[in-house]
Amino acid sequence: MERKVQQKVQGFRTQDGAGVSLVRVLGHGTVEEYDPILMLDSFDSINPDEYTAGFPMHPHRGIETISYVYRGQMTHRDSLGNSDTIGDGEVQWMTAGSGILHEEKLPASERLLGVQLWLNLPAKDKMVPPAYHSIKNAEIEEIPLENGKLRLLAGEYEGKKGYAGNYLPLDYYDIHLNAGASVVINTEDTRSVMVFTLLGSATVGGELIQEKTAVKLTTGSHVEIKAGTENAQVLFISSVWLDEAVAWGGPIVMNTKAELQKAFDDLDRGTFLQKEIAY
């Protein structure tokens, strides 16, 4: 059975961090439908003044943040002592777990284009040790499609394997289609699947979806994605439903209000970080 569009959310321009202009797509109002993806922000700018202020040091607990920079650069620094820069087609995967502080700097470039996802952690894994991993271009396989290509950012595609996180499974594809081209992506019936039109419009499951729109799909064994009269770049994201309670406050996502309050109490008391390396 082909997957169809169950819900769609078109992003809106806003600011976050120290004044970074971005397109906010998923958030508090879409938690249940897009489970386990909590948030999706997209960056798309040719004006460095809109993003170079970056995201100053801030805390996270209970989630994983996954940043894909297709064009431009992002520099990460955190309380574990990690410092790393990705650019043009690379990924940062940070497990906040029990707690981490990090900052993201966005150096000036010809164009900043990318996406950050927040992937929820299961209740049993909320307090795992924090960690950071970058997925560089050498680790990302580009798979030719008829009139396009698929970049395997994470997970599996037709027997090929990319980076795998330690908690929820995640298939994450960057699909490039020439004008008028299409691809059929096979899916497991039990997976929670969404797509995001990063550049250009595309027909997904028979419905035309405008640029910068997230689409949650019905269950099924496959979905067809087709570019319109111009080239399209579409992100395909597949994981498993958690179906757990979500208590979300700012950068912290737990399962109960008590756990959320404890996280903020820990911040106030200076006991938030379970593991820290001093600079």
Side-chain angles (χ1 to χ4, degrees):
M1 181 188 299
E2 183 180 5
R3 289 180 182 254
K4 301 292 185 180
V5 173
Q6 177 176 306
Q7 188 195 64
K8 57 185 177 181
V9 180
Q10 189 162 20
F12 61 94
R13 183 67 65 172
T14 186
Q15 287 191 346
D16 206 340
V20 176
S21 176
L22 52 81
V23 177
R24 177 139 296 159
V25 188
L26 302 181
H28 288 265
T30 57
V31 168
E32 186 174 342
E33 294 85 351
Y34 286 79
D35 179 16
I37 304 300
L38 296 165
M39 191 194 79
L40 189 155
D41 281 346
S42 180
F43 311 97
D44 190 352
S45 177
I46 58 172
N47 179 5
D49 291 340
E50 292 185 342
Y51 60 80
T52 51
F55 299 88
M57 196 68 75
H58 58 281
H60 284 295
R61 178 180 284 181
I63 61 172
E64 298 190 278
T65 67
I66 303 169
S67 302
Y68 178 42
V69 177
Y70 185 65
R71 289 286 179 262
Q73 290 185 317
M74 178 181 284
T75 298
H76 166 100
R77 191 169 71 97
D78 65 40
S79 51
L80 298 177
N82 297 302
S83 182
D84 183 47
T85 298
I86 63 166
D88 283 4
E90 298 178 328
V91 178
Q92 291 179 348
W93 189 305
M94 187 186 78
T95 302
S98 62
I100 197 168
L101 302 178
H102 81 138
E103 67 177 12
E104 296 137 313
K105 294 183 178 179
L106 300 164
S109 59
E110 198 171 298
R111 183 177 191 177
L112 178 67
L113 176 65
V115 166
Q116 184 175 97
L117 304 175
W118 286 13
L119 178 65
N120 204 1
L121 281 169
K124 66 182 181 62
D125 297 320
K126 286 289 187 188
M127 298 296 286
V128 297
Y132 171 82
H133 178 81
S134 60
I135 309 171
K136 299 298 176 71
N137 282 317
E139 303 171 69
I140 298 172
E141 186 168 359
E142 289 199 357
I143 301 162
L145 302 174
E146 187 175 354
N147 295 310
K149 66 181 179 181
L150 182 150
R151 306 190 76 239
L152 180 53
L153 305 181
E156 297 187 27
Y157 174 76
E158 301 295 340
K160 298 180 184 296
K161 294 187 177 182
Y163 175 77
N166 293 322
Y167 306 104
L168 288 186
L170 182 74
D171 293 333
Y172 194 3
Y173 312 151
D174 175 17
I175 301 170
H176 297 244
L177 296 172
N178 296 337
S182 64
V183 63
V184 174
I185 304 294
N186 295 317
T187 61
E188 296 178 28
D189 284 343
T190 55
R191 286 289 197 113
S192 172
V193 178
M194 62 164 286
V195 299
F196 176 66
T197 47
L198 180 62
L199 283 181
S201 60
T203 298
V204 180
E207 184 171 340
L208 180 62
I209 305 300
Q210 299 299 321
E211 183 178 287
K212 301 293 190 292
T213 301
V215 173
K216 182 62 189 289
L217 301 179
T218 60
T219 56
S221 60
H222 63 280
V223 61
E224 182 180 30
I225 302 171
K226 183 176 181 179
T229 56
E230 298 181 350
N231 295 353
Q233 185 175 359
V234 177
L235 303 180
F236 172 96
I237 300 152
S238 169
S239 189
V240 295
W241 279 282
L242 282 177
D243 195 24
E244 295 179 348
V246 171
W248 182 353
I252 313 295
V253 184
M254 304 302 288
N255 295 104
T256 68
K257 289 183 178 179
E259 291 170 341
L260 191 63
Q261 186 58 53
K262 184 181 186 308
F264 285 107
D265 288 345
D266 286 344
L267 280 168
D268 290 341
R269 294 169 184 154
T271 57
F272 182 76
L273 298 177
Q274 314 284 310
K275 182 177 180 182
E276 181 177 9
I277 296 176
Y279 286 98

